[in-house]
Amino acid sequence: MSRPKILYQCQGCGYSSPKWLGKCPDCGAWNSFVEETLTLRNAKLRKRETADPVALSDISHSTASRHSTEIKEFDRALGGGVVLGSVVLIGGDPGIGKSTLLLQALTGLTKLGKVLYVSGEESPEQIKIRADRLKVKSGNIILLPETSLEGITSIAQEIKPRAIVIDSIQTIFSLELPSAPGSVAQIRECATKLMFFAKKYNIPLFIIGHVTKEGAIAGPRVLEHIVDTVLYFEGDKGTPFRILRAVKNRFGPVNEIGVFEMTETGFKEVENPSQLFLSERPLNVHGSVVAASLEGTRPLMVEIQALVTTSNFGIPRRTALGVDYNRVNLLIAVLDKRIGMHLGSMDIFVNVVGGLKTEEPAVDMAIISAIASSFKNTAIDPGTFVFGEVGLSGELRAISQAEIRIKEAAKLGLKRGLVPAGNAGNAKVSDIEVIGIRNVEEALEILFF
Ligand SMILES: Nc1ncnc2c1ncn2[C@@H]1O[C@H](COP(=O)(O)OP(=O)(O)OP(=O)(O)O)[C@@H](O)[C@H]1O
Ligand SMILES: [Mg+2]
Ligand SMILES: [Zn+2]
């Protein structure tokens, strides 16, 4: 038996070092090293059954290996249903609704047979209360209040579930490791073992992970490498809307989103999110404009708001909610330099309504328009939408999928679109007046004639 070896491991990224370090050389986190005792497994233990090599052409796979969770928006985020044998990690802020959504999704999978809900955080009674509220009745859902990995896998071997949910990975620990639950070593070990289990029995495995203050899945980024699909559950707690976004998917497109509304009886799918995001839009107010953005393959009309006020402090405040802060600063600089709009002494707040987050460059033009509208105290016509990437010299650059954005706008009854000149030619949609724009100056002239 070899002596246990002591290692220090970064709880942020899993980097290990033989001595304690104040700053992680890999991910740059401070004070993130924790002592982990690693029992070195001897060679006999390590030896697994070896796999036989197979010719690619000899592998048969059935195309029907995807299954619907009966929640269309969830299927969509997964890339069209859940793949058997795949491991899906779901992260999100505390209380955002991870357990609720997975209980609902698991219910959809009971058509395959028994499914297992492993809860290390809540008692079966608590889950029952939730299930009653969600009107989940299936006798095929088996609850397991267990936190040891060995216990979970042995019970799973017995009842042979057709899908497993682990709620949450931070509470599960392996008896083979001395480190505390939630540490990098434990999370990595447990996730890997569970993954082997899912692949071996060809069942989908959903792992819930808590996120840290910084928004990453707590502990290990290594976890994101182990799993097939990573979904983030986002949303503003003040609103009932939640967005499930695929940030990694070995079986489908990334950035695909599913949109939900939280209700008393659980999550409802939102089939027309554009309508929802624009439903409470105040008309004819300063600093508001409709942007045609695209999330995954789905066009999404959102309201972008800006508020520009004289700053009371020496250094003006800049706040960006739902869009990139640096991007907003860049666009402010473009307005200042190219249009001569003096925003240097102004506090500027930019917000994407509905708690949506977007990194799409196509919303650049909307951010600029909203800021200009608030600065000029002039409302933008509510039937108008804008999109386009703005370059440093104020030029409007063409973006992808212009036509489906304009079609979405037509569906919502919008009348006029200011779009990059490069997109205007090949985007003819009836009922919409499409105006090709070459630069920011031209756009602002039309918006505030
Ligand atoms: N009776 C109710 N009606 C409507 N919404 C409710 C009701 N009870 C709970 N909720 C919502 O459910 C949310 C909690 O959902 P859930 O427990 O699934 O979240 P979670 O992400 O799993 O949280 P945690 O991180 O604590 O595990 C609450 O924030 C609340 O918004
Ligand atoms: Mg929970
Ligand atoms: Zn690190």
Side-chain angles (χ1 to χ4, degrees):
M1 181 81 187
S2 57
R3 207 160 55 86
K5 196 175 163 192
I6 289 180
L7 271 181
Y8 294 87
Q9 215 166 17
C10 169
Q11 300 297 298
C13 66
Y15 182 90
S16 55
S17 147
K19 57 180 203 294
W20 190 84
L21 299 171
K23 185 185 181 201
C24 173
D26 197 19
C27 71
W30 288 92
N31 257 331
S32 60
F33 279 82
V34 166
E35 184 182 308
E36 306 267 11
T37 323
L38 298 185
T39 28
L40 292 180
R41 280 171 236 162
N42 58 35
K44 228 189 278 168
L45 260 172
R46 189 178 281 226
K47 201 173 145 220
R48 281 208 315 272
E49 307 155 31
T50 49
D52 296 323
V54 200
L56 195 53
S57 55
D58 291 345
I59 301 172
S60 66
H61 89 115
S62 55
T63 44
S65 57
R66 272 186 197 275
H67 286 278
S68 169
T69 59
E70 309 293 333
I71 306 176
K72 245 189 273 155
E73 294 292 309
F74 195 73
D75 289 348
R76 181 200 285 272
L78 288 168
V82 61
V83 175
L84 294 186
S86 74
V87 183
V88 181
L89 176 66
I90 296 174
D93 287 337
I96 197 102
K98 302 178 291 296
S99 305
T100 307
L101 183 68
L102 282 205
L103 189 58
Q104 286 181 274
L106 206 52
T107 311
L109 291 172
T110 52
K111 60 175 186 273
L112 302 174
K114 284 205 180 89
V115 294
L116 185 64
Y117 190 101
V118 179
S119 179
E121 302 194 334
E122 293 168 300
S123 66
E125 290 74 24
Q126 270 176 304
I127 299 171
K128 173 73 174 144
I129 292 169
R130 177 181 298 126
D132 285 346
R133 181 161 58 81
L134 306 178
K135 305 206 162 43
V136 166
K137 285 197 201 71
S138 178
N140 266 344
I141 298 184
I142 315 288
L143 295 181
L144 178 63
E146 171 68 73
T147 49
S148 93
L149 175 70
E150 289 73 17
I152 294 166
T153 46
S154 84
I155 288 173
Q157 248 151 9
E158 235 169 76
I159 59 180
K160 304 205 168 21
R162 301 309 305 151
I164 301 181
V165 168
I166 303 289
D167 188 0
S168 65
I169 190 70
Q170 276 88 5
T171 57
I172 309 296
F173 67 96
S174 165
L175 299 169
E176 286 178 20
L177 292 183
S179 4
S183 64
V184 171
Q186 281 289 6
I187 289 180
R188 181 155 45 188
E189 173 77 6
C190 294
T192 311
K193 287 266 172 64
L194 288 165
M195 177 195 69
F196 284 138
F197 189 89
K199 304 268 179 222
K200 182 169 171 197
Y201 292 96
N202 200 30
I203 57 171
L205 167 69
F206 299 92
I207 296 178
I208 293 180
H210 291 298
V211 299
T212 58
K213 278 197 283 324
E214 293 77 39
I217 290 178
R221 236 176 300 154
V222 280
L223 198 50
E224 299 196 357
H225 296 293
I226 297 173
V227 302
D228 299 308
T229 305
V230 179
L231 303 176
Y232 270 96
F233 211 24
E234 313 170 340
D236 189 347
K237 287 237 199 70
T239 73
F241 311 123
R242 301 283 182 271
I243 288 151
L244 190 64
R245 188 189 297 273
V247 294
K248 162 183 171 175
N249 198 347
R250 286 184 183 147
F251 302 108
V254 285
N255 263 332
E256 202 62 79
I257 63 166
V259 185
F260 301 90
E261 185 180 357
M262 171 70 109
T263 69
E264 168 91 39
T265 50
F267 284 110
K268 291 234 154 53
E269 307 163 51
V270 174
E271 267 165 38
N272 195 340
S274 298
Q275 197 170 28
L276 178 117
F277 287 125
L278 295 187
S279 62
E280 288 173 359
R281 179 165 63 112
L283 303 180
N284 294 310
V285 297
H286 310 157
S288 155
V289 69
V290 178
S293 96
L294 193 79
E295 299 296 325
T297 57
R298 177 185 234 179
L300 207 55
M301 309 299 285
V302 288
E303 182 192 350
I304 307 279
Q305 293 181 331
L307 189 64
V308 179
T309 58
T310 315
S311 181
N312 289 323
F313 301 101
I315 304 163
R317 287 180 59 186
R318 302 282 153 86
T319 308
L321 290 172
V323 284
D324 183 47
Y325 175 80
N326 293 322
R327 194 88 205 155
V328 169
N329 278 327
L330 182 150
L331 295 170
I332 292 170
V334 169
L335 276 172
D336 194 288
K337 186 85 179 173
R338 305 285 164 197
I339 308 293
M341 205 175 272
H342 297 298
L343 297 163
S345 58
M346 299 293 194
D347 286 342
I348 299 176
F349 308 89
V350 175
N351 178 34
V352 183
V353 177
L356 189 78
K357 288 196 188 86
T358 175
E359 281 177 3
E360 237 223 332
V363 300
D364 283 359
M365 192 54 229
I367 297 172
I368 287 226
S369 308
I371 293 173
S373 164
S374 178
F375 179 77
K376 289 169 178 283
N377 286 323
T378 311
I380 293 171
D381 161 44
T384 296
F385 66 93
V386 300
F387 64 77
E389 177 177 355
V390 173
L392 284 181
S393 47
E395 80 279 15
L396 205 57
R397 297 172 165 266
I399 44 121
S400 63
Q401 313 270 24
E403 194 169 342
I404 67 167
R405 297 172 202 252
I406 299 172
K407 280 193 179 140
E408 180 79 2
K411 260 198 263 167
L412 292 167
L414 294 162
K415 294 288 175 232
R416 185 175 70 155
L418 270 56
V419 314
N423 287 126
N426 45 22
K428 296 266 180 296
V429 176
S430 54
D431 299 333
I432 294 261
E433 182 196 351
V434 174
I435 306 174
I437 304 283
R438 274 167 309 178
N439 53 52
V440 172
E441 196 175 358
E442 245 179 66
L444 297 188
E445 252 162 46
I446 296 173
L447 288 172
F448 314 104
F449 58 89

